[in-house]
Amino acid sequence: MENFMNKVIITVVGKDTVGIIARVCTYLANNKINILDISQTIVSGYFNMMMITDMENATVKFTKVVEDLDTLGDEIGVKIKAQKEEIFESMHRL
């Protein structure tokens, strides 16, 4: 079975504006959080992005990432949520 311990699902939702991806990716890169997969769409002016990230080499703890991304979301006018993959998986299990 794959090790989920370091994987974090990050979702970003809000009105589309220039620089959303750049700001989120810059934060992740600055904290050595690797993006494993990314998907983004814009529907009727609303931006939606989902990322699977790996925090194995991160320079900050998960709780700090959650706080920082929440603050970043407020700054750029979107809602950013980070969840550990095992929690995300258990919440969405049928």
Side-chain angles (χ1 to χ4, degrees):
M1 186 168 138
E2 193 176 350
N3 183 358
F4 297 127
M5 295 301 282
N6 297 313
K7 288 192 181 168
V8 173
I9 309 294
I10 297 172
T11 56
V12 182
V13 178
K15 196 116 174 80
D16 188 33
T17 187
V18 174
I20 297 171
I21 297 172
R23 294 284 301 273
V24 174
C25 290
T26 298
Y27 172 82
L28 297 176
N30 287 344
N31 290 288
K32 300 203 181 313
I33 300 167
N34 188 35
I35 299 168
L36 302 175
D37 201 358
I38 183 171
S39 169
Q40 66 96 34
T41 57
I42 299 168
V43 179
S44 296
Y46 289 93
F47 178 86
N48 184 18
M49 178 169 64
M50 181 173 162
M51 307 169 114
I52 300 173
T53 64
D54 181 3
M55 288 192 58
E56 182 175 359
N57 298 313
T59 57
V60 290
K61 293 184 183 283
F62 173 73
T63 52
K64 175 88 168 110
V65 171
V66 170
E67 289 174 19
D68 288 350
L69 289 177
D70 190 50
T71 300
L72 178 60
D74 288 344
E75 287 174 14
I76 59 179
V78 296
K79 181 70 177 159
I80 306 176
K81 187 167 178 89
Q83 296 175 280
K84 291 190 176 184
E85 186 176 45
E86 62 266 22
I87 304 230
F88 188 86
E89 290 285 329
S90 66
M91 281 178 42
H92 295 90
R93 194 171 288 139
L94 294 178

